[in-house]
Amino acid sequence: MLTEFIVETVMIYAVIGVLFAAAFAWRGVAVVDPVARHATRGFRLLVAPGAALLWPLLMVRWWRAAARDAGDAAEVPGDRTERWQPASERLRSRALLAWIVLAPLVALVLLVAIRSRAERLPETRDAGRLPEPAVERSARP
Amino acid sequence: MSVSYQAVQWNAAKKAYDRRLALAIAVYLGGFVLAATAAFEVSPIVLVMRAFGTGAVLLLVLILSIGPLARCTPRMAPLLYNRRHLGVTMFLMALVHALLATVWYHGFGVLDPLTSILSSSTPFEGAAQFPFQPLGLAALVILFAMAATSHDFWLRNLSPRVWKALHLCVYLAFALIVAHVAFGSLQDAIWSGYAWMTAAGTAWIVGIHLAAGVKEFRVDRRARALAADGWVRVGEVGEIEEGRAKAVKLGPARTVAVFRHARGFSAISGVCAHQGGPLAEGRIVDGCVTCPWHGYQYLAESGQSPPPFTERIPTYELRIEGRTIFVSPTPNAPGTPVPPCAAGEGGAA
């Protein structure tokens, strides 16, 4: 029941995302970011998957950008540099923290898996655990 | 580095890089299928599925090795330069693996494929029955988010902080993939070397990242002690080669790159405005400081990209006392010109 609800929600999100991405790649991208006004078709195609994924965020950005005066200058990356440097270095120190947390978890997973494999080795056969494909199953008498 | 967006900013070096990458992948996939066909009696589609799966894992191990190793040897710089293409290629290989597995194992049942993957019909009695496929699916979603937002458009529009945080999720994806492999194919593989290869690859990635992180932490701690009395000692004049730089930490959140060039010494932020690349590991090319990650360029005296580009990074004041270089701990506004400090001056520039 829960699984079906999750799957249905994901499917609805994805369908809206795909429709939005087509509109965003065609018109919205240049409204949100003026640098993209003369962008190539290849660029618009590359942006589409991300737009399908992040459509709620981009929908808000598009709406805000459209409401803004046309003469407003867009922020250039250089203006963000001062924020970039401390953020970048802080994230680097958080990466160490992430590995300190992940390292024992990953080690535990591997130990449990290798031990489990050793215990059931006599009964192991290649491709034995996954259900056999329906095509082959239906072909059997 | 561009004033407008393009699909892919190819140049001769990147094209050569991508050709080699495509050739290496073709050789690996062909070699895997040929070798596995001789060794196992498994259907061709399963072999192709495994070839793409193992190829994606190997590529991920390579990608995650590049960052820490590039801090130890400049030989890794060419791989670092085009890591984004490696990442997108790895996602595409993982996607092919996932599509083949979904069609083969879940494509012809009563349930729709996604529901079938997420609902485990096998009673959970131990590690061997752990539902490993949702782990792989979760990793694939993360890899998709990263590949879909890899273009500079997303870096600019999501903000560097959010973009970088999103792309650090690759560590979580790696952990999920290890669990996917450990509870999945590892349980059924007859060849015991497969288990040891998985363990060795995981230990390698975890080990080099912990080692690199601890090294950074020690440098940060030492920098805080140095910065306590105002201007910070960079080192002796002779320590920096022509066209190269020395990195100096001014605290846990600031790195300065002190470059030696034809006109003397200049100090700029050590973090590239593009993706936060380590500028001190770059070099002077065509009179400009060049980032080792993606080739973004800055003038050493002003921290500005050469026209028509608009990127700007902070600059720092330098002074040379005797043969020792000192840097001011206070950054100038991005793009502020600072006259270079010559070695023979012996005083403040």
Side-chain angles (χ1 to χ4, degrees):
Chain A
M1 186 68 184
L2 179 65
T3 306
E4 285 167 4
F5 173 75
I6 292 170
V7 170
E8 280 175 15
T9 308
V10 168
M11 294 309 285
I12 291 168
Y13 186 94
V15 168
I16 297 173
V18 168
L19 294 174
F20 175 83
F24 184 80
W26 180 41
R27 298 296 292 270
V29 66
V31 179
V32 168
D33 188 343
V35 177
R37 275 181 193 150
H38 306 292
T40 59
R41 284 182 190 168
F43 162 76
R44 290 169 193 270
L45 198 65
L46 277 188
V47 166
L53 181 71
L54 301 171
W55 66 264
L57 171 76
L58 293 174
M59 193 177 271
V60 173
R61 291 266 180 94
W62 190 354
W63 181 72
R64 283 185 185 165
R68 207 170 52 199
D69 285 343
D72 280 359
E75 194 179 35
V76 297
D79 295 335
R80 298 179 177 182
T81 308
E82 283 174 295
R83 276 180 279 158
W84 198 189
Q85 174 149 329
S88 164
E89 305 247 349
R90 266 198 297 274
L91 283 168
R92 201 178 288 177
S93 61
R94 281 177 196 163
L96 172 61
L97 198 65
W99 280 110
I100 290 171
V101 173
L102 284 177
L105 283 176
V106 168
L108 183 68
V109 162
L110 272 177
L111 280 174
V112 169
I114 289 173
R115 192 175 166 185
S116 159
R117 180 184 179 279
E119 284 170 358
R120 41 189 305 280
L121 201 57
E123 64 187 74
T124 303
R125 63 183 179 83
D126 201 42
R129 191 158 59 85
L130 286 167
E132 288 183 8
V135 178
E136 290 190 355
R137 195 162 51 232
S138 63
R140 284 178 191 154
Chain B
M1 193 169 181
S2 175
V3 288
S4 67
Y5 295 124
Q6 296 168 12
V8 183
Q9 292 180 8
W10 264 310
N11 55 31
K14 285 187 179 181
K15 282 180 181 171
Y17 183 107
D18 287 348
R19 273 197 295 270
R20 286 189 199 119
L21 176 63
L23 182 67
I25 289 171
V27 168
Y28 175 79
L29 293 176
F32 184 98
V33 170
L34 285 176
T37 304
F40 306 110
E41 287 182 16
V42 188
S43 63
I45 196 164
V46 173
L47 284 183
V48 174
M49 182 184 78
R50 289 179 182 176
F52 273 93
T54 53
V57 171
L58 287 173
L59 213 46
L60 180 61
V61 169
L62 173 67
I63 291 165
L64 288 176
S65 302
I66 292 171
L69 289 182
R71 303 203 164 274
C72 304
T73 169
R75 286 183 182 179
M76 296 299 284
L79 283 174
L80 195 63
Y81 181 62
N82 219 12
R83 192 164 46 170
R84 187 174 354 196
H85 289 201
L86 278 181
V88 174
T89 305
M90 183 266 295
F91 162 71
L92 292 175
M93 290 183 75
L95 182 66
V96 172
H97 167 79
L99 288 175
L100 288 175
T102 303
V103 170
W104 189 246
Y105 294 117
H106 303 276
F108 305 98
V110 180
L111 296 172
D112 72 90
L114 194 55
T115 309
S116 176
I117 290 170
L118 292 175
S119 52
S120 170
S121 57
T122 315
F124 182 74
E125 292 168 355
Q129 285 77 38
F130 196 91
F132 68 97
Q133 291 178 79
L135 297 172
L137 179 64
L140 191 69
V141 169
I142 293 173
L143 296 178
F144 168 65
M146 291 175 60
T149 59
S150 62
H151 197 279
D152 281 353
F153 167 83
W154 295 106
L155 176 69
R156 180 179 159 100
N157 283 279
L158 290 178
S159 87
R161 192 166 58 90
V162 172
W163 188 89
K164 187 78 179 173
L166 173 67
H167 284 245
L168 278 178
C169 288
V170 69
Y171 300 151
L172 179 60
F174 173 75
L176 287 167
I177 288 168
V178 169
H180 172 72
V181 172
F183 295 129
S185 55
L186 198 68
Q187 299 299 314
D188 292 324
I190 298 166
W191 183 49
S192 62
Y194 190 58
W196 294 115
M197 279 175 67
T198 308
T202 307
W204 162 254
I205 291 299
V206 172
I208 57 171
H209 278 86
L210 284 175
V214 168
K215 189 180 166 191
E216 293 270 338
F217 176 75
R218 284 181 178 159
V219 172
D220 280 355
R221 204 168 51 177
R222 201 163 55 231
R224 279 196 287 276
L226 284 171
D229 63 336
W231 286 52
V232 178
R233 184 180 179 277
V234 176
E236 297 299 303
V237 167
E239 285 179 33
I240 307 174
E241 287 176 42
E242 177 79 26
R244 294 282 182 175
K246 182 173 181 181
V248 183
K249 286 270 186 179
L250 295 183
R254 256 181 214 292
T255 306
V256 176
V258 180
F259 274 90
R260 182 173 195 162
H261 50 89
R263 298 167 295 283
F265 292 87
S266 293
I268 55 173
S269 162
V271 179
C272 181
H274 176 223
Q275 286 189 12
L279 287 178
E281 292 170 23
R283 58 196 174 94
I284 306 273
V285 177
D286 299 330
C288 293
V289 171
T290 305
C291 179
W293 281 12
H294 303 100
Y296 272 55
Q297 291 191 308
Y298 306 91
L299 296 166
E301 290 100 323
S302 65
Q304 295 181 21
S305 291
F309 306 108
T310 56
E311 286 80 12
R312 296 189 303 271
I313 53 174
T315 54
Y316 289 80
E317 306 285 340
L318 282 179
R319 72 166 184 250
I320 298 176
E321 292 177 4
R323 302 288 295 166
T324 308
I325 308 170
F326 291 88
V327 62
S328 164
T330 311
N332 296 316
T336 306
V338 175
C341 195
E345 285 177 7

